Amino acid sequence: HRNLTIDLGNGLKTNAQLTVPAVGEGPFPGVLFFGPAGAGSVLSPTTPYTPMAEYLSERGFAVLRYDKPGVGLNSTIIDSNAWGNLTFDNMKQNAEKALSVLLQQPEVNATKKATLIGHSEGTNFPPRVAVDNPDKVRNMILIAPVAGNWRTDIIYFQEVAKPLLYAENILDKGHLGQISVKEASKDPIFQKLVGENLTQLLLNPTNVTEQNNTNDDLISIEGVLKPALVRGYENDTSINASHLSEKCIALYGCPSLGKSFSALPSVIGMIGNVSSNIGILILEGQNDSQTPLQQALLLQQRLTEANHPDHQIIVYPDLGHNFVPSNQWISSSGQIPEYVLQDLFEWLSSPSRQK
């Protein structure tokens, strides 16, 4: 591979890496990768995206990955100003700069256009970049995609709907609409779903309602747990001016980023505008607990309605958000199985998609 520095303008630069085939006569078809939420580097040798880039380069593709501005290796923030002020619009402009850089590399066949691959948050970029740059994009692959609104669909699912489902299906053994606080506090999965702070969540004066005081330990799912989760969600997603002006080094993104993503029109509302010449592959794990399967199915349905001629969805049983075997509640981490990479490569290398 070759290390690059991408000039993002306004004095900002970021690290990038072009992984090229070791054998074969170039130039090669180009692939550009967009990573998930957070300050993790997509260039680190331990990230699952490095084996993905190597897998594709061994099979004749040149793959460019780049980090978000302000991010270093091992999930470190090296420039809190660049990271703290990041917005969706900045990220889309960076994506378009990276695409131009990819197509300018001598190892890359610019006449064949590029394939854009996004994972999770990164799936917000390929459809929008493709609509605005149809002359540069040939295919896109959306892995664990976002279809709806970031705040009301994705974050609400993660912070409210999923813990409620777990409470109803797992903790409420008698199906009486109640759970035991003691049991719930000892349940490691539930604790993880509510951010390890169930008791903190419930410490709110509005919870001292008539609770059938026969058993103080039991709380109503609908009457107590749900309002507490909704309050937590609203607290996490409401952004005021003072939040925006504070220095931020939060690894999963700062208020300016959250605000800009929440204001975005949904991908489902615009994906029908992608050129009919661009192939679209959607990959989804059936046990995805972060961007649930329904999101991928909504995109597939919308593409069908729009009569898009080349779109396909592959759903993998037992795999979670990171394409590692997972239960339906919590995503495991690890390396992407080779059979997923093989499906991705076979779809991509079909002659009709390399014209």
Side-chain angles (χ1 to χ4, degrees):
H1 66 253
R2 202 149 59 72
N3 291 324
L4 304 170
T5 301
I6 297 179
D7 186 346
L8 300 172
N10 299 326
L12 281 181
K13 292 184 165 65
T14 195
N15 295 325
Q17 206 170 79
L18 184 69
T19 310
V20 291
V23 293
E25 285 293 310
F28 304 100
V31 173
L32 178 60
F33 180 78
F34 307 103
S41 169
V42 296
L43 309 180
S44 155
T46 55
T47 167
Y49 312 116
T50 296
M52 179 193 283
E54 288 166 353
Y55 187 95
L56 289 173
S57 75
E58 285 161 8
R59 289 157 182 79
F61 291 88
V63 184
L64 181 68
R65 291 168 290 150
Y66 68 99
D67 278 336
K68 295 168 190 167
V71 167
L73 289 174
N74 306 321
S75 295
T76 49
I77 312 273
I78 52 176
D79 180 344
S80 62
N81 203 30
W83 175 248
N85 292 316
L86 201 56
T87 64
F88 171 80
D89 285 343
N90 302 147
M91 290 175 78
K92 180 170 177 281
Q93 286 160 13
N94 296 347
E96 290 170 336
K97 284 188 177 128
L99 177 56
S100 296
V101 167
L102 170 70
L103 295 174
Q104 285 160 11
Q105 299 310 304
E107 300 94 333
V108 174
N109 185 343
T111 58
K112 284 199 170 177
K113 307 184 192 177
T115 293
L116 309 181
I117 302 180
H119 178 216
S120 189
E121 178 191 273
T123 60
N124 280 285
F125 301 101
R128 293 178 166 102
V129 170
V131 164
D132 292 345
N133 303 269
D135 55 322
K136 294 180 180 174
V137 179
R138 181 65 191 84
N139 304 293
M140 73 174 78
I141 299 174
L142 307 176
I143 303 173
V146 173
N149 178 275
W150 190 249
R151 178 178 186 263
T152 54
D153 291 316
I154 304 300
I155 307 298
Y156 186 88
F157 169 77
Q158 292 173 4
E159 297 193 3
V160 181
K162 187 171 51 159
L164 282 179
L165 268 176
Y166 190 86
E168 288 162 359
N169 294 330
I170 309 294
L171 298 176
D172 181 12
K173 297 181 178 66
H175 301 294
L176 301 169
Q178 296 178 318
I179 61 166
S180 152
V181 175
K182 207 174 287 171
E183 277 179 33
S185 301
K186 288 180 189 158
D187 185 301
I189 292 180
F190 189 69
Q191 280 292 83
K192 209 157 192 176
L193 294 182
V194 297
E196 311 285 350
N197 63 351
L198 177 64
T199 42
Q200 191 58 40
L201 200 68
L202 298 173
L203 282 179
N204 191 299
T206 56
N207 286 332
V208 190
T209 49
E210 285 306 308
Q211 256 301 313
N212 243 356
N213 292 329
T214 48
N215 187 344
D216 289 344
D217 179 48
L218 290 178
I219 58 164
S220 155
I221 294 175
E222 194 60 31
V224 177
L225 179 62
K226 184 176 182 179
L229 292 169
V230 168
R231 274 194 309 276
Y233 154 76
E234 285 174 346
N235 193 35
D236 284 350
T237 55
S238 63
I239 292 157
N240 62 36
S242 68
H243 287 146
L244 290 170
S245 61
E246 289 165 2
K247 179 178 172 179
C248 169
I249 52 167
L251 291 181
Y252 271 90
C254 293
S256 60
L257 190 64
K259 186 179 181 190
S260 68
F261 268 90
S262 298
L264 272 184
S266 66
V267 176
I268 201 170
M270 56 70 60
I271 200 164
N273 303 333
V274 170
S275 161
S276 58
N277 299 324
I278 295 175
I280 303 175
L281 175 65
I282 299 168
L283 302 179
E284 178 63 297
Q286 191 159 354
N287 285 350
D288 192 329
S289 57
Q290 282 165 272
T291 53
L293 172 60
Q294 182 199 17
Q295 294 285 303
L297 297 175
L298 285 169
L299 286 182
Q300 173 73 356
Q301 184 184 342
R302 179 69 198 101
L303 289 165
T304 304
E305 286 166 4
N307 293 320
H308 192 282
D310 181 14
H311 64 99
Q312 184 181 344
I313 185 170
I314 305 174
V315 179
Y316 297 94
D318 304 323
L319 296 190
H321 186 68
N322 300 314
F323 285 73
V324 176
S326 300
N327 64 45
Q328 70 188 86
W329 307 109
I330 291 178
S331 298
S332 302
S333 298
Q335 297 302 331
I336 298 170
E338 188 162 327
Y339 60 85
V340 174
L341 298 177
Q342 190 177 341
D343 286 344
L344 186 156
F345 165 71
E346 283 178 1
W347 181 86
L348 197 51
S349 57
S350 137
S352 66
R353 296 190 187 96
Q354 286 305 320
K355 281 178 182 163

